[in-house]
Amino acid sequence: MTASAPLPPQDAARVARRALPLLDLTDLSETSSAAAVEALCETARASGVAAICVWPDFVAGSARTLRGSGVRVATVINFPEGGDDAARAVADTRATLADGADEIDLVLPYRALMRGDAEGARGMVAAVRAACPDRLLKVILETGELEDPDLIARASRLSLEAGADFIKTSTGKTPVSATLPAAEIMLEAIRARDGRPAGLKVSGGLRRVEDASAYLALADRVMGPDWVSPTTFRIGASALHAELVRALEAAR
């Protein structure tokens, strides 16, 4: 997204107060370690974020560390490749649930959708949904790779119809991650949905308070000013956390 002018300190603090409880504080780096995740958990506990998002290997330890804190533990499945192996995705989901995961972030088989296999993509979402009936399921569309607005809209509808609680923009592992135009398409699909409500997670490339402000403003415009909450809107970020804290400190 295009960089916007810095917000005045009081406006930045207002955005930070709103955005901090929406964060999925994330460590999906290749160099992630038990010590790094332990530190992430302590930061999450102190900051009052919605969740942490970590590799499956770190779910059990995170669940122990965060027990009773109110911070949820999310992990990633079929990540980041978005392959076609639904049986593997289901097995990995069940294993992470046994370790204590509260939320599953599943990468849609987006390449299957791009080559016309919508039912294959839908089938994986439905299968993982069946494997985690009582846990939050976020489906990552990888919108920067889908690119075409019609494909993004189709992926959004397909994922919601197959049982996603949230649709998520991106893995953060591709050249193009979250964009405002893609997020707007996804919000329109959520708004048009009949029946069970759903949410949006924006992820990848959000580093400034102004980035958070732009996505919050978009959600307010499309969904209404009272829609955004941790149950409907998440921000997947790591670098953003420090900027939000800095904005709050600067306004004191």
Side-chain angles (χ1 to χ4, degrees):
M1 58 188 295
T2 303
S4 54
L7 292 170
Q10 292 302 324
D11 290 345
R14 175 181 51 79
V15 171
R17 281 191 292 271
R18 192 179 182 198
L20 200 58
L22 308 173
L23 282 192
D24 283 6
L25 198 56
T26 301
D27 185 350
L28 296 171
S29 65
E30 297 303 321
T31 57
S32 186
S33 66
V37 171
E38 180 77 16
L40 186 81
C41 289
E42 294 306 326
T43 299
R45 185 194 293 273
S47 301
V49 301
I52 63 161
C53 187
V54 295
W55 292 107
D57 287 350
F58 301 116
V59 166
S62 298
R64 286 192 299 270
T65 300
L66 291 171
R67 187 172 294 121
S69 69
V71 178
R72 298 168 66 84
V73 177
T75 193
V76 288
I77 299 295
N78 203 32
F79 185 96
E81 294 84 3
D84 299 343
D85 191 343
R88 171 69 181 274
V90 167
D92 289 348
T93 297
R94 288 177 174 153
T96 61
L97 296 180
D99 283 343
D102 301 301
E103 303 180 0
I104 300 297
D105 286 28
L106 168 73
V107 182
L108 182 76
Y110 61 91
R111 292 186 190 86
L113 182 63
M114 292 170 74
R115 63 176 181 262
D117 184 12
E119 287 311 305
R122 184 193 306 270
M124 180 181 290
V125 177
V128 171
R129 170 80 282 171
C132 60
D134 58 348
R135 309 293 174 93
L136 197 73
L137 175 61
K138 310 187 202 93
V139 177
I140 305 169
L141 307 187
E142 203 65 287
T143 55
E145 295 295 293
L146 291 176
E147 192 175 6
D148 179 70
D150 288 341
L151 265 181
I152 295 169
R154 194 181 315 163
S156 299
R157 292 192 299 267
L158 175 156
S159 299
L160 293 168
E161 290 164 3
D165 297 304
F166 272 68
I167 45 178
K168 175 177 170 181
T169 56
S170 29
T171 62
K173 302 292 187 180
T174 57
V176 177
S177 292
T179 66
L180 288 165
E184 182 165 4
I185 293 167
M186 296 165 74
L187 285 167
E188 294 287 359
I190 291 167
R191 188 174 67 172
R193 176 177 170 77
D194 292 328
R196 186 166 56 86
L200 173 71
K201 179 174 174 179
V202 292
S203 181
L206 281 78
R207 296 181 175 85
R208 304 167 66 238
V209 176
E210 291 77 15
D211 297 334
S213 179
Y215 283 98
L216 288 167
L218 173 65
D220 289 345
R221 176 170 62 80
V222 175
M223 304 299 292
D226 299 323
W227 181 76
V228 168
S229 78
T231 63
T232 58
F233 190 89
R234 298 282 186 87
I235 301 170
S238 51
L240 179 62
H241 174 267
E243 292 302 309
L244 296 177
V245 171
R246 191 171 295 118
L248 291 173
E249 292 173 346
R252 287 175 183 161

